[in-house]
Amino acid sequence: MPARLRTAAARLLLPTVLALSFAVQAVGALLPSVPLLVAAAAVGLAADIALHRWQRGMASALGKLNATVTVRQAVRDLLMVTGLLRIEEQDYETKYLALVCGLLVFYALHFACQALAISVRRTRTLPVVTRNIDASALRLRPAPPALLMQRAGQRLLMFGLPSSVGLLAAAVTGSARLAAAGIALSAAFAVVAVAVLLLRLRPGRRPVTSEEALEWFEAWLAEYQPTVGMYFSGGTSSAYQANMWLEPLARLEGRPLIVLRERFMVRKIASTDIPIVCLPKVADLMRLEQSTLKMLIHPSNSGKTSQVLRIPTIKHAFVNHGESDKLSSCNPYAKAYDEVWVAGPAARERYALAAVGVDDKDVVEIGRPQLDVIQPYAGAPTGPYTTVLYAPTWEGWDGNPGNTSVIEAGENIVRALLADPGVRLLYKPHPLTGSVEPRAGAANTRIQEMIRAASAARAAEHADERPAPSAAAELAARTAELDRLTTSSSRPGADDAERMLLQTAPEPGRAAAVTAATAAWEAAYWASFPAWEHQIVTGARPTVYACFNVADVLISDVSSVISDYLESEKPYAVANTSGLPEQDFRVTFPTVRAGAVLTPDASGIPALLESVRHPEKDTYAEARTELKLHLLGPSDPPSVVRFNEAARALCAEADEHRAAMAVRALPVIPTQRDAESTLDSEHVRG
């Protein structure tokens, strides 16, 4: 069975067991049959607990079908009581009426607990969420246990466990006292939970009010006096767009600040010493107008970007999260910013040709300051294996078949690479692959299956050529150290008050420690597996830049990956799934002109590998140097310097604008002549 089918079957196993348990329990209650009743109820309860523990997404999907955990637990208890009544048909009024009333009391307490949890959560939802800022002045308190606050389904299952066990015991022994004891214990748990939450609603235990939190935030702004910053808004999978600008932002002159709009994004931003503030409401965002903030860079466009552009005291620069020949790299929205910062002349020309309303005077070439980690080309591979990085982009929003090679060419490319015994393949698909086009997701899954099978076959051939156990231990140690430095101290789903309580000011020197730990982790990662082993890289680590440094050649699509990879001047190839002839393809997409072009059947793979292994056959070396200059600009002055100069100039414009606004706001003071004229006119009127 293919891996994707096994995965789908595994995901459906618990829901199937859960559905069958209700059917069997109903049969056991109606027959009645004590073994069927007890076994089905026990299996169903275990499946429900496992579902909430390991498959929360599936539990949410059942909830959308109105099969919520409350409904499931109530049906399970109803069937148990029905079975008990059927087993003992006499005197059921005196024996089991009290049990039904007890269950109703327990469910009433459960709903009361849920209502209180919502109320407590609302009091702990603050108008501003921060990270890397000391929020001790707010005197925040830890949140109640997550079981009480957020996990209503797990709470019902856990608190209802004694009643379920008691009902099962009553069915086996015939003693209603066991059921009564279990229900009483469940009700007692619920009473304690209600009491804990009620205490949190006392005036003295509530967090600060929204106005108090905003006053504290404004006081912090006045003390910190930020000058430069980054504004970001996006979905859960888009954080990488902001993360690539963290280090360049940290190196800017001035006092940097990161402004976010979505609460969940506070945790998504990678480790940094830069203060982070999240202002979900527009009214609160406007408070930045009175701050010392002079300019913001924008790595992406979003619906909420227009809101911050309303602040007249702040200048805005669009830096994008990558540049390519696609139309998305010259979006008309860019004209809304004060300036558009691009890597090199190619992007300037792209905006001019697109004629989307961006004036050439507003385009500033700054290079790509985050590319200084990429190592230069060192020549042909020195070892027995040629490392090929296949990094296709995603399918995009417009449905253009030429956006990604995964669907039409991906499997052919991977098959041709795996057929070469001297190739080590690194496969790093775009994080959004399959998010729009299901065929891309399916092809991505098949490609990964092919790579795993090839790795398994190679492992059998090289059974005695594994790294020493110390390599795995070293990687584990480096991973633990890097996680300690970069993982947020707040748990997933933490509320605003809890997150601000735990995310205090960073330790001095942590940014340098993260950089050193990252380098050590990357070295340990590549050393942890043999040189012949293929790798599938889908997580945040290693980064695509780290993959650039170990790759001998890149295969990609028309995307910003090519522009960034050219910093190394290593050979690359582009898959042409656009349907255009090769010459037209090169003319339409200038980033292709210094690389090989692969057709969907991947027939050009052997020639590509030959040119990599024998540089004298590489006909694009000089073209890559020229294209690098065209795409990324000159290396002197360095991109970091140009980035800082652009920020300094835009801050100066912000200062000039504020000064002009201040002059226009001054009241007009009348001169002596104006005063005399006024008196004369009044005398005439008199």
Side-chain angles (χ1 to χ4, degrees):
M1 180 184 296
R4 63 181 183 280
L5 294 181
R6 291 196 300 270
T7 302
R11 291 182 70 252
L12 293 175
L13 178 61
L14 285 176
T16 302
V17 170
L18 194 60
L20 290 175
S21 71
F22 283 113
V24 175
Q25 189 180 358
V27 172
L30 294 175
L31 284 178
S33 171
V34 173
L36 278 181
L37 184 67
V38 172
V43 169
L45 183 60
D48 225 336
I49 294 174
L51 193 70
H52 278 79
R53 175 65 178 83
W54 291 296
Q55 289 186 320
R56 294 182 183 178
M58 184 61 72
S60 299
L62 291 177
K64 293 177 181 178
L65 298 174
N66 292 326
T68 63
V69 63
T70 304
V71 171
R72 297 195 299 270
Q73 182 69 6
V75 171
R76 192 179 295 114
D77 288 342
L78 176 64
L79 290 175
M80 282 301 305
V81 172
T82 301
L84 291 175
L85 295 177
R86 296 276 296 169
I87 291 169
E88 296 190 27
E89 294 184 352
Q90 296 180 354
D91 297 330
Y92 65 88
E93 296 92 347
T94 57
K95 267 192 171 185
Y96 296 114
L97 184 59
L99 300 184
V100 174
C101 292
L103 284 173
L104 292 176
V105 170
F106 168 66
Y107 279 100
L109 289 170
H110 165 71
F111 292 128
C113 185
Q114 182 64 9
L116 289 171
I118 294 173
S119 299
V120 173
R121 193 157 57 243
R122 286 177 177 173
T123 65
R124 296 179 60 83
T125 300
L126 303 179
V128 57
V129 187
T130 65
R131 185 174 137 192
N132 296 336
I133 299 174
D134 186 0
S136 58
L138 293 177
R139 301 184 303 279
L140 301 173
R141 298 174 181 271
L147 187 65
L148 302 185
M149 288 289 291
Q150 297 172 343
R151 303 172 185 171
Q154 289 187 4
R155 181 176 68 239
L156 177 61
L157 292 173
M158 294 297 100
F159 287 1
L161 188 59
S163 64
S164 298
V165 172
L167 290 171
L168 291 174
V172 173
T173 64
S175 174
R177 294 180 179 179
L178 295 177
I183 294 172
L185 186 57
S186 292
F189 286 155
V191 167
V192 171
V194 168
V196 169
L197 294 175
L198 278 174
L199 289 175
R200 289 304 184 114
L201 290 176
R202 293 175 56 193
R205 300 297 299 274
R206 292 185 180 186
V208 294
T209 64
S210 295
E211 192 56 38
E212 289 172 334
L214 289 172
E215 289 176 359
W216 166 84
F217 173 62
E218 289 183 336
W220 176 84
L221 278 177
E223 179 184 1
Y224 179 64
Q225 294 188 343
T227 54
V228 297
M230 175 174 67
Y231 177 91
F232 188 75
S233 172
T236 55
S237 59
S238 63
Y240 74 95
Q241 299 172 356
N243 288 334
M244 68 170 59
W245 285 99
L246 292 180
E247 189 172 348
L249 180 65
R251 289 185 287 183
L252 281 180
E253 294 177 2
R255 291 171 294 279
L257 177 69
I258 297 174
V259 181
L260 306 176
R261 301 301 307 282
E262 291 81 20
R263 300 174 192 275
F264 67 82
M265 193 62 72
V266 175
R267 293 187 66 256
K268 293 287 185 178
I269 298 299
S271 180
T272 179
D273 289 343
I274 302 173
I276 300 173
V277 298
C278 176
L279 298 164
K281 293 184 178 180
V282 180
D284 300 332
L285 179 70
M286 292 299 113
R287 293 174 184 257
L288 294 177
E289 182 176 355
Q290 307 304 322
S291 72
T292 56
L293 193 61
K294 300 178 182 180
M295 60 147 289
L296 290 170
I297 62 172
H298 297 257
S300 68
N301 298 311
S302 72
K304 296 180 181 179
T305 300
S306 62
Q307 297 169 353
V308 75
L309 294 180
R310 302 175 188 176
I311 301 179
T313 57
I314 301 176
K315 293 292 183 179
H316 303 271
F318 181 58
V319 295
N320 214 335
H321 52 274
E323 294 181 6
S324 71
D325 292 323
K326 293 180 180 178
L327 292 177
S328 58
S329 290
C330 48
N331 193 312
Y333 196 99
K335 63 188 174 187
Y337 302 93
D338 295 290
E339 291 183 351
V340 177
W341 294 359
V342 300
R348 180 186 295 276
E349 296 172 5
R350 189 179 301 120
Y351 275 107
L353 291 173
V356 292
V358 176
D359 290 338
D360 185 72
K361 64 180 179 61
D362 295 330
V363 178
V364 181
E365 298 176 25
I366 64 166
R368 289 278 283 168
Q370 52 274 93
L371 300 185
D372 55 2
V373 299
I374 298 178
Q375 300 169 4
Y377 183 39
T382 56
Y385 295 96
T386 301
T387 300
V388 181
L389 171 62
Y390 178 37
T393 190
W394 67 304
E395 57 272 24
W397 300 113
D398 57 7
N400 190 324
N403 286 343
T404 178
S405 59
V406 170
I407 299 175
E408 295 186 13
E411 292 170 82
N412 293 333
I413 291 173
V414 170
R415 188 177 296 108
L417 292 171
L418 296 178
D420 190 313
V423 165
R424 175 181 68 164
L425 174 60
L426 304 180
Y427 177 58
K428 188 171 179 60
H430 192 283
L432 296 179
T433 299
S435 59
V436 173
E437 175 55 69
R439 291 186 302 156
N444 180 39
T445 300
R446 293 193 296 270
I447 288 172
Q448 294 190 31
E449 290 176 0
M450 294 168 58
I451 296 173
R452 292 190 187 95
S455 290
R458 276 198 176 176
E461 297 173 0
H462 301 270
D464 299 331
E465 302 177 24
R466 302 295 303 183
S470 59
E474 175 70 9
L475 177 60
R478 296 298 183 183
T479 301
E481 174 66 11
L482 189 55
D483 286 344
R484 183 186 69 80
L485 291 170
T486 60
T487 302
S488 171
S489 58
S490 62
R491 59 180 175 79
D495 60 36
D496 295 353
E498 180 179 2
R499 185 178 289 116
M500 291 177 63
L501 174 68
L502 297 175
Q503 294 286 2
T504 57
E507 304 171 3
R510 189 180 65 177
V514 169
T515 300
T518 300
W521 181 89
E522 289 176 357
Y525 173 81
W526 298 118
S528 65
F529 55 87
W532 44 261
E533 185 173 306
H534 307 299
Q535 290 295 311
I536 300 171
V537 183
T538 55
R541 303 176 193 155
T543 65
V544 68
Y545 296 156
C547 294
F548 286 173
N549 288 335
V550 298
D552 298 306
V553 59
L554 166 73
I555 299 177
S556 188
D557 304 322
V558 176
S559 72
S560 61
V561 172
I562 296 175
S563 301
D564 289 351
Y565 185 78
L566 271 168
E567 176 69 19
S568 68
E569 297 189 30
K570 294 179 182 179
Y572 71 95
V574 185
N576 178 12
T577 56
S578 66
L580 295 173
E582 179 176 331
Q583 187 58 36
D584 294 343
F585 185 63
R586 291 183 182 275
V587 172
T588 304
F589 304 108
T591 53
V592 180
R593 70 188 187 203
V597 174
L598 299 178
T599 54
D601 62 3
S603 58
I605 292 291
L608 172 66
L609 296 174
E610 184 71 10
S611 67
V612 174
R613 291 162 179 162
H614 302 281
E616 66 275 8
K617 300 181 180 181
D618 181 4
T619 60
Y620 297 105
E622 185 176 343
R624 287 196 299 273
T625 302
E626 296 175 356
L627 184 58
K628 173 187 173 182
L629 180 64
H630 189 58
L631 292 177
L632 304 177
S635 57
D636 187 25
S639 179
V640 174
V641 174
R642 287 184 282 156
F643 181 53
N644 198 58
E645 289 175 348
R648 191 186 303 116
L650 196 56
C651 285
E653 289 187 22
D655 288 336
E656 293 175 3
H657 180 68
R658 292 189 185 205
M661 291 177 63
V663 170
R664 288 195 296 267
L666 288 176
V668 178
I669 302 176
T671 64
Q672 180 66 25
R673 180 178 297 176
D674 294 334
E676 292 175 353
S677 299
T678 302
L679 289 174
D680 291 342
S681 61
E682 290 178 351
H683 177 72
V684 171
R685 286 197 301 270

